[in-house]
Amino acid sequence: MTEADLDTVVEVEKTAYTHPWSRKHFSDSLRSGYPAVLLLGEALPGEAVHPGRADGRVLLGYLVAMPGVDEVHLLNITVAPAQQRQGWARFMLDALVLWSRGQCAQWLWLEVRHSNAPARALYQRYGFAQVGLRRGYYPAGQRAREDAVVMSLNLVALAHTAQETTP
């Protein structure tokens, strides 16, 4: 992801969430050097691509992470609404786990809205465990706030499990 991609990213962000990240959130993440990647695909013949990219490819999704000491914090993972329920979030999680392990991270952390049951279920199926709750973490409109579920994934244990199941 680069500054040149942000118009498209922000447009997808606005269609995916009631309280989307602003362009400044993405721009600040890029300036901080956080890993921020796009998942792009090819448009099928006759497929209407929205939002459009100059190169004609489809923005399937993106993620932004923040590395730390022995850990990585997933700040944003989004699949474009038209592309959801096709396995793209899991694909991006797989890539993030591989990258994180390459950085010698032992843990992957995230927060997710309590009301986002589909995302929470995906993370649980992936192996994340709920480890806490941040009360009033997310804006929820008209001075209301929503709790965030804090989840973590033990990358060391995940690697051992993968080794044990590989023939």
Side-chain angles (χ1 to χ4, degrees):
M1 184 185 302
T2 67
E3 286 283 338
D5 298 309
L6 294 189
D7 287 342
T8 306
V9 168
V10 169
E11 193 169 337
V12 168
E13 184 80 0
K14 287 178 182 176
T15 65
Y17 301 111
T18 56
H19 293 86
W21 269 26
S22 68
R23 182 184 185 93
K24 185 174 179 352
H25 284 113
F26 289 104
S27 190
D28 287 350
S29 295
L30 291 175
R31 271 197 302 282
S32 295
Y34 295 165
V37 296
L38 303 178
L39 178 61
L40 301 172
E42 298 296 324
L44 299 172
E47 180 181 16
V49 177
H50 184 77
R53 288 179 42 93
D55 62 7
R57 293 187 291 175
V58 179
L59 176 58
L60 303 173
Y62 48 86
L63 67 80
V64 180
M66 180 178 68
V69 177
D70 296 334
E71 64 185 33
V72 172
H73 193 117
L74 178 59
L75 301 175
N76 185 321
I77 184 168
T78 301
V79 174
Q83 307 298 329
Q84 291 177 358
R85 308 204 63 79
Q86 297 180 47
W88 298 124
R90 185 171 183 88
F91 183 82
M92 288 190 290
L93 283 172
D94 287 343
L96 180 61
V97 165
L98 287 172
W99 180 86
S100 298
R101 288 176 55 201
Q103 303 300 305
C104 299
Q106 296 178 19
W107 292 93
L108 183 55
W109 295 90
L110 61 83
E111 290 94 12
V112 59
R113 283 181 183 271
H114 187 269
S115 65
N116 192 344
R120 287 183 23 233
L122 168 72
Y123 298 139
Q124 287 172 341
R125 282 192 310 271
Y126 199 90
F128 282 85
Q130 181 175 334
V131 295
L133 198 64
R134 296 189 198 277
R135 301 231 179 260
Y137 185 78
Y138 289 111
Q142 299 208 337
R143 295 188 221 150
R145 305 292 294 179
E146 182 176 352
D147 296 343
V149 175
V150 180
M151 303 183 86
S152 68
L153 179 67
N154 183 328
L155 298 174
V156 176
L158 184 66
H160 290 301
T161 302
Q163 288 174 351
E164 291 170 3
T165 59
T166 304

